[in-house]
Amino acid sequence: MARNAHPEVTRQRILDAAKKLFAQKGYERTTIQDILDELEDLSKGAIYHHFKNKEAMLHALVDSDNERLLPQANQEDGSRNGLQKLRNSLMMQITDTEHMTLMRDAFPLLNDPKILAENLRIWRTDSTKIAYDFIQEGLRDGSITTEYPQEAAELFSLLFNYWLAPNFYPITTLSEFKHRIHCLGLIMDSLGVPLIDHDSDMEDRLAEGFFLLASNPQ
Amino acid sequence: MARNAHPEVTRQRILDAAKKLFAQKGYERTTIQDILDELEDLSKGAIYHHFKNKEAMLHALVDSDNERLLPQANQEDGSRNGLQKLRNSLMMQITDTEHMTLMRDAFPLLNDPKILAENLRIWRTDSTKIAYDFIQEGLRDGSITTEYPQEAAELFSLLFNYWLAPNFYPITTLSEFKHRIHCLGLIMDSLGVPLIDHDSDMEDRLAEGFFLLASNPQ
């Protein structure tokens, strides 16, 4: 039997098929057989050679999504101040349809208490640290005036990642998301971090981005 | 062998000893042998007859603490408005040294992802509902004016239970707790729920209550 000379190509084909089906049918309803049917020329053994199970595919998709977004986050033109960088880091993720679709499809993973605990830890640490650094930069360049840089960073991370996720706090309509985003803007304002740019359509675009999380796969 | 005619008395004696030792030495460092030494006349078998393990004792202590606090919460003199009831429900717990000592001792339980996930669920639902009902009452009697009753209730529950718990967000000094409580007051104010009564020593007393959570067992 001829061995596959391009295992990376096969791996990527499996991931592309899995991503397409997770988005179409939802993660829970997609079976390994569905992925096999989608790929046609691959055997079940070939799939299991690359991924232990469906969950491993979803983890690989989340990792590759993070790798895709990271260079964009670091690509700063140097003219932005701290507040603008904080706003941009948020908008970049929330208005990215591919990212938000994957986040929605990955929600079932958070039903696993271990994965939930690990995500909460990341939201308290790494993800807080990113916001904290932007806020500190804002304090230095004068775009932010707050006595609560640490608290604002923690709440930014906790509320956007956990409180706005409709798998935890079940909200379903676009207007409910708008209400909640506006509420979060008031909170950040009260701490001296004017996160929402009221001269732009930022609030509406954030609400639309989060609304995607509450949509059902087609 | 004579059977114990008062199993409930024995059970309570074990719990009293466990509570005392958890508070003195910390939950992790207390062994079943320590509890046995404290009780002297009981056998290991008698302890295991009542409790599968140390964790079961801690669960029983938390349950009995809840039962102790509940009648106090419902004992309303009828003259309080919604805002005062919300404030009172918070103060009653946070200024109760026995309750806060037990909460501190119970923190290790939350290292278990399943128990953490279950607590998060309660904070999103039952515990949010209690705050929501007080806020609705405040809206009716005019003591609260908010466009965000649901959001304020959710954040009240999430932030007091999770964000102020030093096992999750490690803060250690009284002044750090004061800073954080003041920050939470600003947030609730921004949503139209003036939780902190600035004409009283409420802020200081809350900070002292939470500070107990960060203290080490003697």
Side-chain angles (χ1 to χ4, degrees), chain A residues 68-122:
Chain A
R68 180 178 65 82
L69 286 178
L70 202 62
Q72 294 180 35
N74 292 332
Q75 200 177 38
E76 282 293 345
D77 61 9
S79 67
R80 286 201 180 96
N81 62 34
L83 177 62
Q84 287 164 335
K85 285 182 185 173
L86 183 68
R87 288 173 174 170
N88 185 54
S89 72
L90 183 64
M91 292 300 280
M92 205 193 60
Q93 289 181 63
I94 309 304
T95 64
D96 185 313
T97 305
E98 194 177 329
H99 172 71
M100 295 305 267
T101 304
L102 187 61
M103 288 302 101
R104 179 200 66 187
D105 298 337
F107 278 156
L109 289 184
L110 295 169
N111 291 331
D112 177 337
K114 279 190 191 167
I115 295 179
L116 173 59
E118 173 58 10
N119 272 272
L120 286 163
R121 195 192 61 76
I122 291 169

Side-chain angles (χ1 to χ4, degrees), chain B residues 164-166 169 171-182 203 206-208 210-214:
Chain B
L164 276 170
Y169 288 92
I171 50 177
T172 52
T173 69
L174 181 58
S175 71
E176 283 174 309
F177 277 103
K178 280 192 188 177
H179 195 67
R180 199 159 272 240
I181 299 279
H182 190 74
E203 196 166 292
L206 283 174
E208 279 155 24
F210 277 102
F211 180 52
L212 200 155
L213 296 178

Side-chain angles (χ1 to χ4, degrees), chain B residues 76 78-90 130-144 156 193-195:
Chain B
E76 283 291 346
S79 67
R80 286 202 179 95
N81 62 34
L83 177 61
Q84 287 163 336
K85 285 182 186 174
L86 183 68
R87 288 173 174 170
N88 184 53
S89 72
L90 182 64
I130 293 170
Y132 181 77
D133 289 345
F134 289 141
I135 293 172
Q136 284 294 345
E137 196 172 334
L139 283 168
R140 285 193 298 273
D141 66 33
S143 59
I144 293 172
F156 175 88
V193 179
L195 180 68

Side-chain angles (χ1 to χ4, degrees), chain A residues 113-114 120 124 147-148 151 154-155 158-159 162-163 168-169 179-180 182-183 186-187 190-191, chain B residues 113-114 116 120 124 147-148 151 154-155 158-159 162-163 168-169 179-180 182-183 186-187 190-191:
Chain A
K114 279 190 191 167
L120 286 163
R124 290 195 301 267
E147 290 173 48
Y148 303 96
E151 288 84 354
E154 287 170 1
L155 292 171
L158 175 63
L159 301 184
Y162 177 70
W163 185 58
F168 297 120
Y169 289 91
H179 195 67
R180 199 159 271 241
H182 191 73
C183 178
L186 291 177
I187 289 170
S190 78
L191 303 184
Chain B
K114 278 189 191 166
L116 174 60
L120 287 162
R124 290 195 303 267
E147 290 174 48
Y148 304 96
E151 289 84 354
E154 288 170 1
L155 292 172
L158 175 63
L159 300 184
Y162 177 71
W163 184 58
F168 297 120
Y169 288 92
H179 195 67
R180 199 159 272 240
H182 190 74
C183 178
L186 291 176
I187 289 170
S190 78
L191 302 184

